[in-house]
Amino acid sequence: MKILVTGGAGFIGSNFLNLLVPRHPEHQFLNIDKLGYASNLHNLSAIEGCSNYHFARLDLTDVDGVNDCFEREAPDVVVHFAAESHVDRSIKSPTGFIQSNIVGTFNLLEAFRNASHTPSRFHHVSTDEVYGSLGPEGRFVEDSPYDPSSPYSASKAASDHLVRAWGRTYGLPFTITNCSNNYGPFQFPEKLIPLMILNATEHVALPVYGQGLNVRDWLYVDDHCEAIWTVLEKGQLGETYNVGGDSEKKNLEVIHEICDIVADLRGEDPESLRQLITSVTDRPGHDLRYAIDATKLERDCAWRPRESFHSGLEKTVRWYLDNPAWVESVRTGAYRDWLATQYATDRSTHD
Ligand code: NAD
Ligand code: DAU
């Protein structure tokens, strides 16, 4: 089988390929990625020599390029990760999110629908953020109403709707997964967990939005990748599956745990790292709480997360400490400029 993976040089896509390419020599994997700021081909160095893995640089907004790729490669299955993924960037500058996440998905769906061969499945990787914010109770299920808050989540909601519409109207064979917050190796350090790990190791401020009481459900990235593979193997066409870690945490709890693990691994005082926590201006439209009910995936496909939050977080901290060259390679001038802009107007409540 030939599997076209989009966005495979980003965080989740590269973990997916690193896990599955060596395990499935009987399948061919083609990774297409525009190589945007959050991507890194070094993430894939472990598999770049594998004969069942190939990479091609392609931007999904290039409609001719996408159609040519489909005709040339004739993939059986598409696993669509490619997207602009950072909520704060979508608030500052939404255009690229509309282009990549909506127009890019549209171009891919059209190439799939008009292909001269008959591909068998379009798997769309999506997020729990499409459902909006929960109050203190309840969990998202597959038919929770869509109520996105940010330009990012609205663009992902739009892409989910496109996939389902292509299913209903044209009979396109699809599956969708909506997953909670991932963490693990290769995550670009603009997201909460890697940003806090690196700042804690460097003893600089740990910027928490508002009071740090927002809740996210955390899932180790390999568990998400296994869930996607399980859906490819066992998921029913036309169905949506929620994926979550059953691991709800307030942001402050996450940051405290990071401080404890970093301190433990480096022989430092955890309290002095916790002192670095600084309340900064809240994210506009900040969703209070996400929580996923993954019963359908567990029941129908026998998937379970393997990693606990503590064990996954410890692995993740170790990975960032053990890979300073990777960290340095992603901290370009553009990255430093982003941090300077994003946290420029922040105020400390701890001084
Ligand atoms: P990421 O930003 O690390 O990687 C995204 C990749 O997509 C990058 O390599 C980028 O270059 C590529 N890309 C973006 N626009 C493209 C385009 N127009 N053409 C080709 N390539 C393009 O993101 P991630 O965290 O790995 O997320 C991957 C997918 O999983 C996204 O669809 C995201 O919405 C979804 N998701 C992420 C999380 C999470 O916690 N990170 C949770 C649930 C779902
Ligand atoms: O829920 C799934 C989503 O999780 C994915 O679809 C997104 O692609 C992914 O980026 C993630 O979105 P979040 O906005 O939840 O993740 P982020 O790491 O940006 O923020 C997590 C929480 O931490 C959120 O409540 C905002 C807060 N935060 C974040 C940063 C970067 C801070 O308090 N301080 C920070 O500096």
Side-chain angles (χ1 to χ4, degrees):
M1 196 160 68
K2 187 177 265 189
I3 303 172
L4 177 67
V5 174
T6 74
F11 162 50
I12 305 176
S14 54
N15 279 289
F16 179 83
L17 287 163
N18 282 323
L19 201 61
L20 291 153
V21 166
R23 193 191 290 173
H24 289 285
E26 74 280 18
H27 299 318
Q28 287 291 322
F29 293 82
L30 173 66
N31 173 12
I32 60 171
D33 197 299
K34 72 174 180 183
L35 298 183
Y37 76 92
S39 67
N40 191 339
L41 281 180
H42 294 309
N43 299 358
L44 298 151
S45 56
I47 56 164
E48 66 191 2
C50 294
S51 58
N52 63 331
Y53 169 72
H54 300 279
F55 171 77
R57 187 173 192 175
L58 179 63
D59 190 322
L60 294 180
T61 62
D62 169 6
V63 61
D64 294 336
V66 174
N67 289 333
D68 288 351
C69 172
F70 247 78
E71 284 313 299
R72 196 178 57 245
E73 302 292 343
D76 304 299
V77 169
V78 171
V79 185
H80 180 32
F81 289 99
E84 292 299 336
S85 67
H86 191 39
V87 173
D88 295 322
R89 285 186 190 253
S90 82
I91 293 167
K92 287 223 151 78
S93 186
T95 310
F97 289 73
I98 305 306
Q99 287 302 325
S100 284
N101 301 2
I102 304 178
V103 178
T105 301
F106 165 71
N107 289 342
L108 201 58
L109 286 166
E110 281 292 83
F112 189 107
R113 174 170 87 89
N114 295 318
S116 45
H117 67 298
T118 311
S120 61
R121 184 187 295 251
F122 186 107
H123 181 75
H124 181 58
V125 180
S126 193
T127 170
D128 59 359
E129 298 202 11
V130 298
Y131 301 123
S133 187
L134 289 166
E137 301 296 326
R139 298 197 292 172
F140 298 129
V141 289
E142 285 75 4
D143 54 7
S144 292
Y146 274 38
D147 188 19
S149 301
S150 71
Y152 163 71
S153 50
S155 70
K156 291 297 291 186
S159 66
D160 292 12
H161 289 321
L162 288 176
V163 173
R164 286 198 189 94
W166 260 239
R168 272 192 220 158
T169 305
Y170 305 115
L172 186 125
F174 74 88
T175 38
I176 300 179
T177 42
N178 292 87
C179 186
S180 61
N181 286 58
N182 285 213
Y183 64 100
F186 306 122
Q187 188 168 31
F188 195 73
E190 62 190 353
K191 307 279 167 67
L192 180 75
I193 287 185
L195 182 72
M196 296 299 147
I197 294 172
L198 296 184
N199 284 13
T201 59
E202 290 163 11
H203 298 169
V204 298
L206 306 176
V208 62
Y209 297 163
Q211 297 310 305
L213 301 179
N214 301 66
V215 173
R216 298 291 181 265
D217 168 31
W218 293 96
L219 183 69
Y220 190 66
V221 63
D222 282 359
D223 281 324
H224 183 192
C225 296
E226 295 285 6
I228 292 168
W229 190 258
T230 303
V231 168
L232 293 177
E233 288 190 325
K234 300 184 192 156
Q236 290 293 310
L237 291 175
E239 292 293 323
T240 295
Y241 299 88
N242 279 355
V243 188
D246 208 7
S247 183
E248 283 182 56
K249 305 271 174 208
K250 293 188 180 83
N251 292 336
L252 264 186
E253 293 176 295
V254 172
I255 300 169
H256 285 166
E257 199 155 340
I258 290 171
C259 290
D260 293 350
I261 296 172
V262 170
D264 186 44
L265 293 176
R266 289 161 59 99
E268 294 179 8
D269 171 21
E271 210 33 60
S272 72
L273 297 185
R274 288 184 182 204
Q275 293 297 321
L276 297 167
I277 296 172
T278 303
S279 174
V280 300
T281 310
D282 208 350
R283 173 185 282 174
H286 196 175
D287 287 334
L288 176 68
R289 176 172 164 260
Y290 305 142
I292 280 277
D293 181 345
T295 305
K296 180 177 174 184
L297 182 61
E298 293 173 4
R299 187 194 57 220
D300 294 359
C301 302
W303 171 88
R304 295 266 180 296
R306 292 207 183 114
E307 210 70 57
S308 72
F309 184 67
H310 184 76
S311 65
L313 193 60
E314 195 173 271
K315 272 190 187 176
T316 305
V317 174
R318 280 184 196 279
W319 187 86
Y320 280 90
L321 295 183
D322 289 348
N323 287 279
W326 183 91
V327 169
E328 215 28 61
S329 75
V330 302
R331 288 169 133 183
T332 60
Y335 173 68
R336 290 179 213 285
D337 291 348
W338 162 253
L339 291 190
T341 316
Q342 173 65 6
Y343 301 102
T345 54
D346 293 337
R347 64 197 190 289
S348 166
T349 56
H350 290 261
D351 44 36

